[in-house]
Amino acid sequence: MAKLGYPAFPTHPGEIIKDELIARNLSQREFAKILGISYSVLNEILNGHRTITAKTALLFEASLGIPADALMNIQMKYNLQTARSNSEIKNWMSKIRQAVAVL
């Protein structure tokens, strides 16, 4: 991943949101209530078990001032890094590269 300019371990945007809540001394339950989403959805995002969507990125932008497009970009990079490290996808891509090389 280093040759692509990505860190060794992907960063989920939920980690950034979680750090921001801690810095603001804001509980997850209180923040979820402010946003109008369930605590479980927010908790899953903050712990990297759920992706952020355009809607949630806009909610975070409105409430925390973190640009939605930056959060979506971080999510995309996280998804790509995670997919690239998946052995099934690696094997599939290798077979495709081999097939295309003979064309």
Side-chain angles (χ1 to χ4, degrees), residues 71-89:
L71 291 172
M72 294 300 292
N73 192 34
I74 294 166
Q75 182 69 61
M76 177 200 57
K77 286 182 178 183
Y78 176 84
N79 293 349
L80 286 171
Q81 278 187 271
T82 302
R84 281 189 176 108
S85 65
N86 179 301
S87 61
E88 186 177 319
I89 294 174

Side-chain angles (χ1 to χ4, degrees), residues 59-75:
L59 293 176
F60 295 140
E61 179 181 78
S63 59
L64 301 173
I66 302 169
D69 59 332
L71 291 172
M72 294 300 292
N73 192 34
I74 294 166
Q75 182 69 61

Side-chain angles (χ1 to χ4, degrees), residues 28-42:
Q28 291 183 27
R29 289 195 189 280
E30 184 179 0
F31 190 56
K33 191 174 189 178
I34 290 168
L35 296 180
I37 63 176
S38 74
Y39 164 78
S40 62
V41 167
L42 178 62

Side-chain angles (χ1 to χ4, degrees), residues 16-17 26 30 35 46 52 56-57 78 88 94 97:
I16 295 164
I17 305 298
L26 192 57
E30 184 179 0
L35 296 180
L46 298 183
I52 63 164
T56 53
Y78 176 84
E88 186 177 319
S94 177
R97 286 185 188 109

